[in-house]
Amino acid sequence: MAKVFIAGKIPDKAVALLKATDLTIDMYTDDKLIDTTTLKQHVSDSEFLITPLSTQVDQDVLDHAPKLKLIANFGTGTNNIDTKYAKKLNIAVTNTPMVSTVSTAESTIGLIIGLMHRIAEGDHLMRTTGFNGWAPLFFLGHELQGKTLGIIGLGQIGQAVAKRMHAFDMPILYTQHHRLPVSREIELGAKFVSQDELLEKSDIVTLHLPLNEHTKHLLGAKEFKHMKDSAILVNAARGPIIDELALTEALKKHVISGAALDVYEHEPEVSDELKQMKNVLLTPHLGNATVEARDAMAEIVANNTIAAASGKPIKYIVNGL
């Protein structure tokens, strides 16, 4: 029987679907991320690999998987996989697009509100020193209404953010390679501008684009200087899109006002400097961490594996096979 290796704990929904087939299931169940040596051992006789996006599947791993036919990535991004080398070996790579759109959009909005209204900072205060009572000038934050939201990357998630933030009466600017149809811009209340104009005019800048050779360090020291000194930066996309050292310097020198980060350049590591800043809100890559999104992702990876094992078409192939 063909073997599928699951390189980390995933929702029971996927396991139940796979158990209903004649596939042999091998799953890594440790709470720690799987190490490369263990991964190579388990894929050596596997036809199918289901892997979380936190697991690196590089050329070395693929060279130890002579039977592999499919890598079903549990996540939208695939920068953890050497997709080009997989294609060379005739191994299809799939992802789980669209199903995390709502969760990631809601999480982004939570980061924005949390930072602007200093919610996490206030929670920390109440759990430590406490406060002396309501006062007119105590612990002031900022309203969203009337503030300009700049969205870099108006794909599915960016549009979901724009749709929701439009209800907050926020002017919305966006930039990306291709402009949306005017009808969609009107619907979202979004105006297409250059990246420089977006950075110069936005009170809040949020990132919603993939990580690739063109987007790595898209925002660095030069770009932060274009932003308002009162602006905040939000990243729930991919950590390396931001030059994290440059961001730290910009925050220390008050080039920008604050940042809310769900992803990190050297994830899962986060610098001590960022941890110590009161104007920074940090969350542990929770963008699509909802039961609804993860169950939907589980269903996709399981069904793609079952389809591949049955010789049927699979969905969401990202490496052109």
Side-chain angles (χ1 to χ4, degrees):
M1 292 185 290
K3 174 185 165 184
V4 53
F5 177 56
I6 307 172
K9 293 180 181 179
I10 60 176
D12 291 339
K13 189 169 189 177
V15 179
L17 287 168
L18 292 167
K19 283 184 175 179
T21 70
D22 59 359
L23 287 166
T24 298
I25 301 170
D26 178 19
M27 182 162 66
Y28 178 79
T29 58
D30 200 302
D31 289 331
K32 296 184 297 182
L33 293 179
I34 192 169
D35 61 86
T36 301
T37 300
T38 304
L39 178 60
K40 288 191 291 189
Q41 289 172 348
H42 284 272
V43 297
S44 63
D45 61 347
S46 299
E47 283 84 0
F48 311 103
L49 171 63
I50 295 175
T51 181
L53 58 81
S54 53
T55 297
Q56 295 298 313
V57 184
D58 56 20
Q59 182 173 334
D60 183 33
V61 171
L62 294 174
D63 282 339
H64 283 78
K67 295 183 178 181
L68 205 58
K69 300 175 182 176
L70 170 71
I71 303 170
N73 208 40
F74 196 100
T76 302
T78 54
N79 51 288
N80 59 310
I81 300 170
D82 190 333
T83 55
K84 292 180 180 178
Y85 192 65
K87 182 178 181 179
K88 183 179 178 181
L89 298 176
N90 204 36
I91 301 169
V93 178
T94 63
N95 67 345
T96 57
M98 296 179 285
V99 293
S100 60
T101 295
V102 171
S103 291
T104 306
E106 290 179 352
S107 179
T108 298
I109 293 164
L111 289 171
I112 292 171
I113 295 173
L115 189 60
M116 294 289 280
H117 284 268
R118 304 175 68 182
I119 292 172
E121 201 179 340
D123 177 80
H124 177 73
L125 178 75
M126 295 306 296
R127 294 174 188 273
T128 52
T129 59
F131 78 127
N132 296 322
W134 186 94
L137 300 180
F138 175 70
F139 223 77
L140 300 181
H142 293 278
E143 294 181 356
L144 299 183
Q145 180 174 283
K147 303 295 188 300
T148 298
L149 176 65
I151 303 177
I152 301 180
L154 207 65
Q156 292 290 330
I157 296 172
Q159 290 182 44
V161 171
K163 175 183 176 182
R164 289 156 176 77
M165 299 311 277
H166 185 44
F168 281 76
D169 295 325
M170 299 185 73
I172 297 172
L173 305 177
Y174 80 96
T175 189
Q176 60 183 11
H177 287 304
H178 304 291
R179 183 174 178 177
L180 294 178
V182 174
S183 59
R184 184 59 173 157
E185 290 181 341
I186 293 172
E187 186 179 355
L188 296 172
K191 178 184 178 183
F192 180 74
V193 295
S194 68
Q195 179 173 296
D196 283 349
E197 184 176 349
L198 182 145
L199 294 173
E200 289 168 3
K201 293 184 176 180
S202 296
D203 299 294
I204 302 164
V205 175
T206 180
L207 306 177
H208 299 287
L209 64 170
L211 174 64
N212 54 45
E213 64 270 23
H214 304 296
T215 62
K216 183 176 181 180
H217 285 190
L218 181 71
L219 298 187
K222 176 184 176 183
E223 289 73 27
F224 298 139
K225 289 177 182 177
H226 280 296
M227 294 173 65
K228 297 179 180 180
D229 59 12
S230 59
I232 68 167
L233 177 65
V234 180
N235 188 11
R238 289 292 180 268
I241 294 172
I242 294 174
D243 181 340
E244 209 163 274
L245 281 176
L247 172 63
T248 302
E249 286 300 308
L251 290 165
K252 285 197 300 185
K253 296 177 179 178
H254 306 289
V255 176
I256 64 173
S257 178
L261 307 174
D262 187 47
V263 290
Y264 307 91
E265 184 170 0
H266 305 291
E267 193 169 318
E269 300 300 323
V270 184
S271 74
D272 288 336
E273 284 188 291
L274 286 175
K275 290 178 184 178
Q276 293 166 6
M277 292 179 179
K278 292 183 178 180
N279 58 338
V280 176
L281 179 58
L282 306 173
T283 52
H285 205 148
L286 298 178
N288 61 17
T290 60
V291 171
E292 295 83 357
R294 297 290 169 85
D295 274 354
M297 294 163 72
E299 190 170 358
I300 290 173
V301 297
N303 284 336
N304 269 340
T305 302
I306 293 167
S310 305
K312 296 179 181 178
I314 57 179
K315 296 180 179 180
Y316 312 125
I317 298 175
V318 300
N319 64 336
L321 287 178

